[in-house]
Amino acid sequence: MPRRPADLRLFLLTAYGLAWLFALPIWLTGASLASPLIMVSGVAMMFTPALAVLAVRLYGRRRAAPGTTWREWARRTGLTLGERRGRTLALVAMAWFGTPLLAAAAIALSAALGLLSVDLEGLSLFREGLAAVSPGQAPSVDPGTLAVVQIVAAFLIAPLINSVAAFGEEWGWRGWLLPRLMPLGTWRALLVSGVIWGLWHAPLTLRGYNYPELGAWAAPMFVVFCVAYGALLGWLRLYSGSIWPAVVGHGALNASGGLVLLVGDAADPPDLVVAGITGLVGSALLAVVSAALFKWRPVERPAPVAV
């Protein structure tokens, strides 16, 4: 690929610029983290990295760069199932079911370390959340049943649903950006792409998204998580040659990341900075798993993506 930095600048400008544009209503209205506007803007933001990939492709064609055919370019950005489809599909399944298991493991580890109080019998924090949504009204369905439904959905259904929006991010971050940075070396590319991914969330995390108690400090905190989880998603992408395991893994994470609030104790609410999959415990767990995967199954550097 031509080693012009212009393609990288265009990618970042598009992804970051559109993310802030889509989040602008949140800042103009001062919407709270509970506002539906957060969800709408967040989902719209998730497609901006994919739009950045298309912008780079359009830039390359207009510059008449000696690029590749659409089919080859799609392969290099991970849109196919890679050279070994069976392995890729196995990794999709691993990401689908393994990610919620990692979320559960992070909860268990947090509790074992004394960093999280759980209430599996009474589900007091979950009940408190239901009461806040419908004050003065008894839930029409038993909270225990609702909790089971949410857990089952987090493993079986929600990963697929959430993968639609997750594709918008993964095609950009792991499909195009990670291979673009691989000349830095594998670990440097993972670190840089993880930092870029984490900082891209700033329109939301500067308002305390994911870590409400931190306020604007939630932004650097989430970068830590994105570096750790980005390494795992990066391994899925590089080992398979496809973005689809990372897409499903990302979708599964979004589906199961809130399980810590399902089992928490209302008398001692979870400290999300520390506990759960997106806390420091979860980030440490993801970092260990990622390092083990890279050691167990080393990856080859993908071919550079021509613009």
Side-chain angles (χ1 to χ4, degrees):
M1 142 179 140
R3 304 295 342 140
R4 293 193 300 266
D7 61 336
L8 184 56
R9 288 198 298 265
L10 176 61
F11 175 86
L12 295 176
L13 179 63
T14 304
Y16 274 66
L18 289 178
W20 276 100
L21 179 63
F22 290 154
L24 192 59
I26 297 173
W27 289 85
L28 293 178
T29 62
S32 69
L33 293 177
S35 170
L37 195 56
I38 295 287
M39 177 66 70
V40 172
S41 295
V43 171
M45 282 176 57
M46 292 181 73
F47 289 96
T48 62
L51 293 175
V53 176
L54 294 175
V56 170
R57 176 64 175 173
L58 181 61
Y59 163 80
R61 292 176 64 87
R62 286 186 172 181
R63 292 288 297 259
T68 58
T69 65
W70 164 258
R71 179 175 297 181
E72 177 65 12
W73 187 74
R75 183 186 69 81
R76 292 188 178 183
T77 56
L79 291 179
T80 68
L81 291 177
E83 295 182 0
R84 297 176 59 179
R85 296 185 177 184
R87 179 169 67 183
T88 298
L89 293 176
L91 289 175
V92 166
M94 185 179 80
W96 189 318
F97 299 106
T99 303
L101 287 175
L102 283 175
I107 292 172
L109 183 58
S110 299
L113 293 173
L115 302 173
L116 172 67
S117 296
V118 296
D119 182 11
L120 298 178
E121 184 176 350
L123 299 175
S124 56
L125 188 63
F126 181 55
R127 291 175 183 272
E128 186 178 89
L130 292 176
V133 172
S134 302
Q137 299 182 13
S140 57
V141 181
D142 177 67
T145 302
L146 283 176
V148 171
V149 169
Q150 288 200 19
I151 293 173
V152 171
F155 276 84
L156 300 181
I157 303 171
L160 181 60
I161 296 173
N162 288 347
S163 290
V164 175
F167 164 78
E169 287 196 49
E170 291 307 314
W171 192 30
W173 305 131
R174 256 62 63 178
W176 188 88
L177 180 62
L178 182 57
R180 174 65 175 80
L181 296 175
M182 285 300 284
L184 298 174
T186 301
W187 286 108
R188 287 183 180 179
L190 290 168
L191 174 61
V192 173
S193 63
V195 170
I196 290 173
W197 181 33
L199 292 177
W200 169 85
H201 289 87
L204 299 180
T205 52
L206 284 174
R207 298 186 65 86
Y209 189 75
N210 285 319
Y211 314 100
E213 63 273 30
L214 289 184
W217 286 103
M221 177 65 197
F222 198 59
V223 171
V224 174
F225 167 76
C226 285
V227 169
Y229 191 49
L232 178 54
L233 295 178
W235 179 84
L236 289 170
R237 158 68 168 109
L238 297 173
Y239 190 63
S240 67
S242 170
I243 63 168
W244 299 111
V247 167
V248 173
H250 191 155
L253 187 281
N254 288 350
S256 58
L259 290 179
V260 65
L261 299 176
L262 195 67
V263 300
D265 187 348
D268 186 14
D271 181 356
L272 298 180
V273 175
V274 177
I277 192 66
T278 57
L280 292 175
V281 170
S283 294
L285 175 63
L286 291 169
V288 170
V289 171
S290 299
L293 287 172
F294 274 98
K295 184 175 180 58
W296 174 54
R297 287 290 186 269
V299 300
E300 296 181 1
R301 293 189 182 184
V305 181
V307 297

